[in-house]
Amino acid sequence: MSSGKQKTLESFGNSAKKQKTDDTENDGQELIKEIKQSRLSFAASIKEFKFNKKRVRVLSDAKDIAENAECIVYWMSRDQRVQDNWAFLYAQHLALKLDLPLCVCFCLVPKFLDATIRHYRFMLKGLKEVSEECESLNIHFHLLFGEAKKVLPEFIKANNVGGVVTDFSPLRVPAKWVTDILSKLPDDVPLCQVDAHNIVPCWIASDKLEYGARTIRKKIHDKLKDFLTEFPPVVKQKETAKCIYQSTDWDKVENNLEVNMDVKEVAWAKPGTTAGLLQISEFCKKRLKGFGDLRNDPTKNNLSNLSPWFHFGQISVQRAILTVLKFKSKHGSSVDAFVEEAVIRRELADNFCYYNKKYDKIEGAYDWAKKTLKDHSKDKREYIYTKEQFENAKTHDLLWNAAQRQMTREGKMHGFLRMYWAKKILEWTNSPEEALEFAIYLNDKYNLDGRDPNGYVGCMWSICGIHDQGWAERAVFGKIRFMNYKGCQRKFDVNEFIRRYREK
């Protein structure tokens, strides 16, 4: 039995403010300085760097930029950062090559799926940092309020934009934004897309839906030598674009949102690129050494906790990998485990959502899984809960309740418990369809990294056996992998975790 005051992830973050030593702060700032220097050492600017054109694909019929163009636009979406951003870098590459100014547009919709004010504030504070950095580089940042198809074409026409570069998401709604823009762009304005989120671009990593990690792992590892490089810096533009510009009233933007205001911000996760880089430094110095052996123990603080910054694109996975690899000689197995999760599993999730348009539906499961779920969908369940009972952590299972409270309070559930949590929802709902709907809803509403390929694949793995295999058949689950309370007890101190997240 443990003694002393129990710490949650939230209290780790709060105590960090009170107990953070000068050495810890200095380590983070030193890492940021090293990163800036490594960019400059690699290339003075993107103009001097030979850009890997495999990262780019031209989506429009137009291929060339008109001679009378007045600027280039980076339409920022998934990757919300300035540096370490291949899409931003390619946009500047074009601007410098053609001696044109560069500006950035971000199209903010007032409501997006089940995102709440918790998510929007994390995003908006990060975008404010982006805006300030852009201005320091003579690059105007334009926050356009509304759907891209309604606000971006108007901006492009009004400002004689010569070309648009955007980043990449495999998800349904962002992909439709790109399709909509394609149909509304002037005929002579090319639209290019750069996968700035994955190390190996999704369409390069594989040209088909992969069955699992074992089928995509070698494909990615074989291509890392071409794509896992240092970044050149985004540099100051000589001229500022003459486009119509109005600084962002961030308070007014928030007041116009149409989202749930009840899900509050969390203390442990500070938004923005600077905070994300400091989190990388802290992980490498304090938690990486135990990541290999202890990452599946929810009572230990050995995870990277980087997923919120990855999700909003405030830090680059590639930058995290380049940093973690420096510790290979000291923490070899932990580094390998992190690379497997941050590169292979993460890019596998993008692959699934890109090539499987039903990535969040039972119809998107393998045939064996659909059959076994159908065969066992009417099996008698001992307990049946509503969405509201799940949301309020009102089940008979104390561990599940504790995991749900961790998510609602902290915006992040431990990775091991996410699997247990989703599988119990399958056990306690009327059908697999209902289970998947509830799991995705709760994940997207509370987790800072919700509405993400990793989240959809995590729910599909737990409930539909995606990237898994069939197991021994049992009631309710059929051949879907089973997890239970006793199994968790063998892996970690369940009672300790429950005490941390008991009902207040």
Side-chain angles (χ1 to χ4, degrees):
M1 182 174 178
S2 63
S3 60
K5 186 177 179 181
Q6 298 296 333
K7 287 188 176 183
T8 64
L9 184 60
E10 193 83 60
S11 65
F12 275 116
N14 288 334
S15 64
K17 292 183 180 179
K18 300 174 184 176
Q19 302 173 10
K20 185 183 290 183
T21 64
D22 290 339
D23 286 345
T24 301
E25 181 68 26
N26 289 340
D27 284 343
Q29 294 300 332
E30 190 62 35
L31 173 64
I32 292 174
K33 289 179 184 177
E34 288 176 7
I35 289 171
K36 288 180 179 178
Q37 186 56 51
S38 65
R39 294 190 196 111
L40 288 170
S41 299
F42 188 59
S45 82
I46 189 65
K47 192 173 184 179
E48 301 175 9
F49 177 74
K50 187 176 181 181
F51 198 93
N52 187 342
K53 296 294 180 66
K54 291 180 181 179
R55 296 187 186 277
V56 188
R57 59 181 184 176
V58 181
L59 303 180
S60 57
D61 291 333
K63 308 298 180 188
D64 299 316
I65 294 169
E67 290 184 6
N68 65 340
E70 295 183 16
C71 70
I72 299 295
V73 160
Y74 168 36
W75 170 24
M76 177 181 285
S77 185
R78 189 185 190 190
D79 291 281
Q80 299 161 24
R81 62 186 181 278
V82 176
Q83 303 294 346
D84 300 342
N85 181 339
W86 291 116
F88 204 131
L89 284 162
Y90 187 67
Q92 184 165 68
H93 168 77
L94 292 178
L96 294 177
K97 181 180 178 181
L98 299 167
D99 200 23
L100 289 174
L102 172 66
C103 60
V104 176
C105 293
F106 187 93
C107 303
L108 182 74
V109 291
K111 179 177 174 57
F112 181 65
L113 301 177
D114 288 310
T116 68
I117 193 62
R118 170 181 289 177
H119 308 100
Y120 268 83
R121 283 184 179 156
F122 195 93
M123 177 175 64
L124 289 173
K125 289 177 181 179
L127 288 174
K128 186 176 181 181
E129 183 180 326
V130 168
S131 173
E132 292 168 354
E133 187 172 356
C134 281
E135 293 307 315
S136 73
L137 296 170
N138 262 354
I139 301 169
H140 278 327
F141 176 87
H142 302 264
L143 189 71
L144 308 179
F145 196 82
E147 289 185 63
K149 66 180 179 181
K150 296 179 180 178
V151 295
L152 189 59
E154 180 181 329
F155 180 92
I156 290 167
K157 294 171 186 175
N159 294 288
N160 196 20
V161 172
V164 180
V165 178
T166 192
D167 44 44
F168 164 80
S169 170
L171 299 182
R172 187 179 301 114
V173 175
K176 189 174 187 303
W177 291 341
V178 174
T179 302
D180 289 342
I181 288 297
L182 266 176
S183 66
K184 293 180 177 295
L185 276 181
D187 292 339
D188 61 345
V189 176
L191 174 63
C192 301
Q193 188 171 56
V194 180
D195 187 347
H197 216 76
N198 296 301
I199 297 176
V200 180
C202 186
W203 55 85
I204 297 293
S206 177
D207 60 359
K208 64 178 183 178
L209 179 67
E210 295 292 339
Y211 190 85
R214 63 179 174 80
T215 67
I216 201 172
R217 187 177 291 111
K218 188 176 187 303
K219 293 182 179 182
I220 291 176
H221 277 296
D222 286 348
K223 296 177 179 69
L224 285 178
K225 63 181 181 297
D226 294 327
F227 294 99
L228 184 56
T229 68
E230 181 55 79
F231 294 89
V234 173
V235 297
K236 191 169 185 175
Q237 291 281 140
K238 290 181 180 179
E239 295 183 23
T240 306
K242 295 184 175 70
C243 49
I244 302 164
Y245 178 70
Q246 183 175 3
S247 60
T248 304
D249 184 337
W250 298 97
D251 292 332
K252 182 179 179 181
V253 167
E254 183 171 319
N255 290 336
N256 285 314
L257 297 178
E258 301 169 7
V259 300
N260 182 320
M261 295 289 181
D262 296 330
V263 183
K264 304 304 181 185
E265 295 173 88
V266 298
W268 72 272
K270 184 179 178 181
T273 296
T274 300
L277 292 174
L278 292 175
Q279 190 74 208
I280 292 175
S281 174
E282 186 177 303
F283 169 57
C284 290
K285 297 289 184 178
K286 293 185 175 181
R287 304 191 297 276
L288 176 60
K289 62 183 177 183
F291 184 83
D293 296 329
L294 301 174
R295 68 185 182 280
N296 286 330
D297 186 339
T299 68
K300 309 295 183 186
N301 186 28
N302 283 97
L303 298 183
S304 73
N305 296 326
L306 294 172
S307 62
W309 292 272
F310 285 161
H311 169 72
F312 286 100
Q314 293 176 359
I315 56 174
S316 160
V317 175
Q318 187 159 335
R319 172 59 63 197
I321 293 297
L322 289 170
T323 305
V324 167
L325 284 173
K326 295 177 182 178
F327 294 82
K328 175 72 172 174
S329 61
K330 290 178 65 177
H331 310 308
S333 61
S334 287
V335 169
D336 290 343
F338 182 75
V339 170
E340 173 69 15
E341 291 195 2
V343 181
I344 307 304
R345 300 287 174 168
R346 184 174 292 276
E347 299 206 8
L348 177 64
D350 263 38
N351 170 275
F352 179 74
C353 294
Y354 183 57
Y355 289 109
N356 187 336
K357 302 310 176 186
K358 296 180 179 179
Y359 56 77
D360 55 353
K361 304 292 183 185
I362 297 295
E363 292 79 10
Y366 303 134
D367 288 342
W368 70 262
K370 284 187 283 191
K371 182 180 185 306
T372 199
L373 288 169
K374 182 179 179 181
D375 290 347
H376 291 271
S377 63
K378 298 188 184 302
D379 288 351
K380 186 178 183 298
R381 288 156 165 80
E382 187 177 0
Y383 302 93
I384 298 290
Y385 296 107
T386 65
K387 183 188 290 185
E388 289 72 25
Q389 287 173 312
F390 282 132
E391 204 158 358
N392 295 316
K394 297 293 184 184
T395 76
H396 69 288
D397 186 313
L398 296 179
L399 176 58
W400 191 95
N401 289 346
Q404 175 70 5
R405 291 191 194 106
Q406 183 186 35
M407 179 173 69
T408 57
R409 294 174 188 174
E410 298 173 359
K412 192 174 187 298
M413 186 189 296
H414 189 281
F416 179 83
L417 285 177
R418 287 196 196 202
M419 300 182 290
Y420 177 80
W421 170 85
K423 286 182 178 295
K424 300 308 283 188
I425 294 177
L426 173 60
E427 187 174 344
W428 300 331
T429 43
N430 287 299
S431 68
E433 289 81 3
E434 187 176 75
L436 189 60
E437 176 194 342
F438 287 6
I440 290 174
Y441 165 77
L442 294 169
N443 180 72
D444 289 0
K445 181 176 180 178
Y446 293 106
N447 276 321
L448 278 169
D449 58 7
R451 304 157 317 285
D452 191 273
N454 264 26
Y456 294 121
V457 168
C459 291
M460 289 289 282
W461 181 90
S462 301
I463 294 169
C464 302
I466 287 298
H467 300 149
D468 203 359
Q469 62 185 24
W471 295 76
E473 200 162 9
R474 65 173 64 235
V476 180
F477 286 83
K479 295 181 179 180
I480 301 297
R481 185 195 297 253
F482 180 66
M483 291 178 70
N484 64 9
Y485 191 92
K486 288 184 178 179
C488 292
Q489 285 180 314
R490 291 192 292 269
K491 292 181 178 296
F492 64 93
D493 188 340
V494 168
N495 289 331
E496 181 181 345
F497 185 82
I498 291 171
R499 282 194 296 272
R500 291 184 185 182
Y501 296 96
R502 57 185 175 271
E503 189 172 11
K504 293 180 178 178

